[in-house]
């Protein structure tokens, strides 16, 4: 697993956006061989989505041949609710780029048969021969998508009960009223994400420091589900300095030395601009 430390939110978001743009451009996607992206919601990826939109507006990148699968969705809130993940993606990304509507995939949190909906989603991912790059965030309790502590590390897409810590944390998007936060969500499994050819996780701010310590410095553990990525062949955690607050100085130094030649933002930029 790689750890990339950037100095603040803006540089972290720029790094992520250019990395994603470069991966898409390098793949030279076409209609019959699209680039398949797994996508997260949350506050952390907002900067990345903004910068990817800028790159689109500058003509650097197109999403015409990109297919997306969002990683999770709340159960039981209308799809146009301001906090539904479908609406979030529309407002913060999809409405500003050239991705065709039919290339966008979501879990339907109002499906009459949620288990069937989860099976459908796995089949849809399979129909594209899997995900090229799965982007994700991390919960304060180390969760990946909505794979809460104790989730099976081989889990597939399914219904999950949200942990109290997650509902308290996400209540900031629901008028700080935990009773408004849904109790259930549909989420891709840890196994679904582990099957992606590459995974990039974004962690921002001191509130993620405790989780990063467990995920990076301790063993694979179902109580910190992002730690499963220690066993992925191409997994990267990208974070800002504050998110490293609980790591040892030695760990941070080690990863900074390892990544030093790759950290020049101009180089990332060069490789994207054609
Ligand atoms: C939710 C999402 C996760 C996301 C997490 C962190 O729980 N299901 O996918 O990683 O929030 O969100 P934020 O980036 O706002 O801290």
């Amino acid at each position: 697993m790689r750890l990339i430390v950037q100095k603040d939110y803006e540089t972290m978001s720029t790094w992520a956006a250019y990395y994603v743009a470069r991966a898409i451009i390098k793949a030279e996607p076409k209609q019959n061989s699209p680039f398949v992206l797994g996508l997260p919601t949350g506050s952390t990826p907002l900067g990345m989505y903004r910068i990817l939109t800028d790159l689109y507006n500058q003509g650097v990148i197109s999403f015409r041949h990109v297919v997306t699968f969002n990683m999770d969705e709340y159960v039981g809130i209308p799809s146009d609710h301001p906090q539904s993940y479908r609406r979030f993606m529309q407002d913060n990304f999809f409405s500003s780029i050239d991705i065709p509507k039919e290339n966008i995939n979501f879990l339907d949190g109002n499906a009459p048969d949620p288990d069937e909906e989860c099976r459908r989603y796995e089949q849809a991912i399979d129909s594209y021969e899997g995900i090229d790059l799965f982007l994700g965030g991390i919960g304060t309790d180390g969760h990946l998508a909505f794979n809460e502590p104790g989730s099976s590390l081989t889990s597939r897409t399914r219904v999950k009960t949200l942990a109290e810590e997650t509902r308290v944390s996400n209540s900031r998007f629901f008028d700080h009223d935990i009773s408004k936060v849904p109790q259930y969500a549909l989420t891709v499994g840890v196994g679904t994400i582990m099957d992606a050819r590459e995974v990039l996780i974004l962690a921002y701010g001191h509130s993620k420091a405790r989780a990063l310590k467990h995920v990076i410095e301790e063993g694979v553990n179902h109580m910190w589900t992002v730690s499963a990525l220690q066993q992925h062949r191409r997994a990267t955690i990208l974070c800002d300095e504050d998110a490293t607050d609980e790591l040892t100085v030695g760990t941070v130094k080690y990863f900074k030395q390892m990544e030093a030649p790759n950290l020049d933002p101009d180089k990332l930029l060069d490789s994207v601009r054609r």
Side-chain angles (χ1 to χ4, degrees):
M1 185 199 276
R2 299 169 73 190
L3 174 69
I4 310 272
V5 184
Q6 292 287 290
K7 76 173 183 325
D8 56 24
Y9 182 70
E10 200 54 29
T11 52
M12 181 190 94
S13 302
T14 305
W15 200 101
Y18 280 103
Y19 191 83
V20 173
R22 187 176 56 173
I24 295 170
I25 291 167
K26 271 171 90 176
E28 299 183 2
K30 306 198 174 43
Q31 177 123 27
N32 56 0
S33 56
F35 189 85
V36 186
L37 259 184
L39 293 178
T41 53
S43 50
T44 308
L46 282 171
M48 174 186 72
Y49 289 141
R50 172 176 44 80
I51 296 162
L52 278 170
T53 304
D54 291 347
L55 290 175
Y56 162 70
N57 287 329
Q58 291 159 19
V60 174
I61 185 172
S62 164
F63 295 87
R64 238 171 333 132
H65 301 311
V66 172
V67 167
T68 63
F69 284 89
N70 262 80
M71 63 194 338
D72 46 15
E73 180 60 286
Y74 289 118
V75 167
I77 59 174
S79 59
D80 60 351
H81 185 288
Q83 293 311 326
S84 92
Y85 287 167
R86 185 186 289 263
R87 168 87 182 269
F88 173 99
M89 290 305 299
Q90 198 56 32
D91 291 352
N92 292 297
F93 193 37
F94 294 147
S95 61
S96 311
I97 58 171
D98 63 344
I99 186 164
K101 252 199 338 252
E102 59 276 17
N103 287 14
I104 298 172
N105 293 277
F106 281 104
L107 281 155
D108 179 358
N110 292 300
D113 181 343
D115 295 333
E116 180 51 36
E117 170 63 5
C118 294
R119 277 192 292 274
R120 177 197 70 78
Y121 210 59
E122 288 277 339
Q123 280 163 10
I125 293 172
D126 283 350
S127 73
Y128 287 100
E129 290 171 9
I131 290 184
D132 292 305
L133 173 59
F134 222 128
L135 305 172
I138 179 170
T140 53
D141 59 3
H143 71 229
L144 177 57
F146 271 131
N147 293 284
E148 297 285 25
S151 294
S152 157
L153 300 184
T154 59
S155 49
R156 311 305 307 185
T157 304
R158 71 215 182 290
V159 185
K160 281 298 287 180
T161 307
L162 301 186
E164 174 89 1
E165 181 167 337
T166 299
R167 294 184 66 229
V168 169
S169 171
N170 289 5
S171 65
R172 68 203 142 114
F173 302 118
F174 292 86
D175 310 322
H176 294 275
D177 178 353
I178 188 175
S179 70
K180 293 186 181 164
V181 184
Q183 283 181 313
Y184 303 99
L186 304 184
T187 179
V188 296
V190 180
T192 318
I193 296 169
M194 289 293 284
D195 283 351
R197 284 179 270 287
E198 184 171 6
V199 183
L200 174 65
I201 299 296
L202 275 56
Y204 161 64
H206 180 77
S207 67
K208 305 297 169 68
R210 184 178 66 124
L212 277 203
K213 177 184 175 50
H214 287 279
V215 163
I216 294 166
E217 292 185 329
E218 293 175 11
V220 174
N221 186 332
H222 67 163
M223 296 309 284
W224 303 91
T225 52
V226 176
S227 67
L229 294 174
Q230 289 178 21
Q231 295 194 316
H232 194 283
R233 275 174 297 178
R234 278 191 86 191
T236 301
I237 294 185
L238 169 64
C239 69
D240 71 328
E241 290 280 357
D242 290 348
T244 69
D245 282 354
E246 301 273 336
L247 296 178
T248 65
V249 172
T251 299
V252 176
K253 261 190 175 165
Y254 170 77
F255 281 107
K256 281 187 172 171
Q257 278 160 8
M258 294 288 283
E259 295 295 343
N262 299 323
L263 288 183
D264 182 350
D266 288 338
K267 291 220 172 85
L268 271 173
L269 205 119
D270 282 353
S271 61
V272 175
R273 290 191 193 285
R274 290 186 291 184

